[in-house]
Amino acid sequence: MNFFTKTALAAAAAVFALSAHAQDVPGVTATTIKIGMFSPLSGNAMAYGFDVVNAAKMYYDKINKEGGINGRKIELVIEDSRCNANDLLAAVKKLTEQDKVFLLNGGSCSGPVVGAREYVDREKIPLIMLNASGDGALYPPSRYIYGAFSISQHAVGGSMVQFATQYLKAKKIGYINHDDAYGGWNLEAAQFQARKDGVALQVQSINPSITDVTAPMLKVRAANPDVLLIMTYARPVALLIKKAHELGWNKPIVVAVNGTADVNNLVQTVGTKDAFKNVYLQEVMLDVAGGPQLKWVYDMYKQYYPDLAAKPGYPQAYMAYGIPSAMAVVNALKAAGPQLTREKFLDAMSKTNFDSKVMAGPIAFTPTDHAAQKSAIYLKFDGETKTRVPGSYASAWTYQPK
């Protein structure tokens, strides 16, 4: 038997072994790994997920062009979750039960993705979130769920207080959050940070659907804090900044990353750049969007989506957030080896630790902490230009089993 015949037989045997093994693993064949993605791709919330999916897609395509993972190419099935709990759960069920995917890589809105936890745990299917923080799904840790590649809501709150205390030298902090579980997550860590730093936190919790913010802003003004932290989604942020300007507020306002999906639209909604004379934005990437440290991501986007990149408003603000999530999936798939199973993949995820060169801090998981990233940077924003503030700021809060 000559060398070429032996080589061919060995290759055939390897493919046969992979094929035989893959028959017992959902979403895995000898040549493919099927991944289910979901995110808001339409509607009012598409800015949170449309380009995040595009970023993940281009990274997966890059991996496929480089030869795939242990002899297999990634195959994507994508659903629109519309940032709605019912639509998200329906997408998760379809991808799991009908499309038979190996794992789920999706979720851009924290509240809806939390609603899928019970189903994911019951089906024992890995869920690797895209850019949702999803604290309710991450704490207490589930064997099957990993997320907060952008940042967890607990880390959002703690980081904001640390920034206000250390950089803005605040002693008394006004704090406006949502009056739901989402707001409760960031408040828990903010209160922890405030106690640690010895500062006073004055909280106003508002409904996410609020249309008149006069009352909470009057209460904030009466309390006379040194700085105002706004932890809401974009629409209440615009109302609060506009009302603060009308009331003559001239102290620093810091806006959490939750409300900065489209800052151009934010300025237009507020109606005047004068309202942004003392505004800071939380950012969880390591640089200003499109800045020199992130140029490689934006160059890749222009290469993959030239027509989209030429349109105003693209890439969307959260685009790059899809890269670390896809990186983590790829790293864990490689580490799990050619005899791929969900359990091997999950074991590899629990040991993941790498620098994405996208986010402000490392992407790091342990068996007892499935929230990836806990750091943030801050940008001074005058309604037009963003200027990075030196340093990064991380929450001191850690999960404690109850």
Side-chain angles (χ1 to χ4, degrees), residues 76-160:
L76 300 177
V77 185
I78 302 172
E79 296 291 331
D80 186 358
S81 65
R82 300 176 185 83
C83 203
N84 174 283
N86 291 333
D87 288 333
L88 187 147
L89 185 57
V92 166
K93 287 183 176 180
K94 175 186 176 295
L95 292 166
T96 303
E97 298 171 14
Q98 296 181 32
D99 298 306
K100 306 292 185 183
V101 299
F102 175 72
L103 65 85
L104 300 165
N105 182 201
S108 297
C109 301
S110 294
V113 81
V114 171
R117 172 170 177 151
E118 181 180 351
Y119 177 85
V120 168
D121 282 343
R122 184 170 67 248
E123 294 297 316
K124 298 181 178 180
I125 181 170
L127 167 57
I128 315 304
M129 297 180 200
L130 271 170
N131 56 314
S133 53
D135 295 44
L138 295 172
Y139 302 114
S142 160
R143 163 81 171 151
Y144 305 99
I145 304 175
Y146 291 80
F149 289 89
S150 53
I151 193 170
S152 74
Q153 274 304 301
H154 283 84
V156 163
S159 173
M160 290 275 279

Side-chain angles (χ1 to χ4, degrees), residues 213-296:
V213 297
T214 303
M217 273 308 306
L218 285 173
K219 290 178 181 178
V220 167
R221 188 175 68 170
N224 195 32
D226 302 315
V227 59
L228 173 60
L229 308 183
I230 301 178
M231 318 297 294
T232 70
Y233 278 132
R235 187 172 176 277
V237 168
L239 295 174
L240 289 162
I241 291 178
K242 184 175 183 178
K243 183 58 66 175
H245 182 63
E246 291 172 356
L247 294 174
W249 178 275
N250 57 13
K251 296 177 182 179
I253 295 175
V254 189
V255 180
V257 68
N258 317 325
T260 61
D262 188 339
V263 292
N264 292 326
N265 184 63
L266 174 62
V267 175
Q268 291 173 9
T269 303
V270 172
T272 174
K273 291 180 182 177
D274 290 343
F276 294 86
K277 288 182 177 178
N278 205 1
V279 169
Y280 295 83
L281 308 178
Q282 184 185 52
E283 175 56 72
V284 296
M285 292 188 292
L286 57 76
D287 198 358
V288 177
Q293 295 185 78
L294 294 174
K295 184 178 182 297
W296 69 274

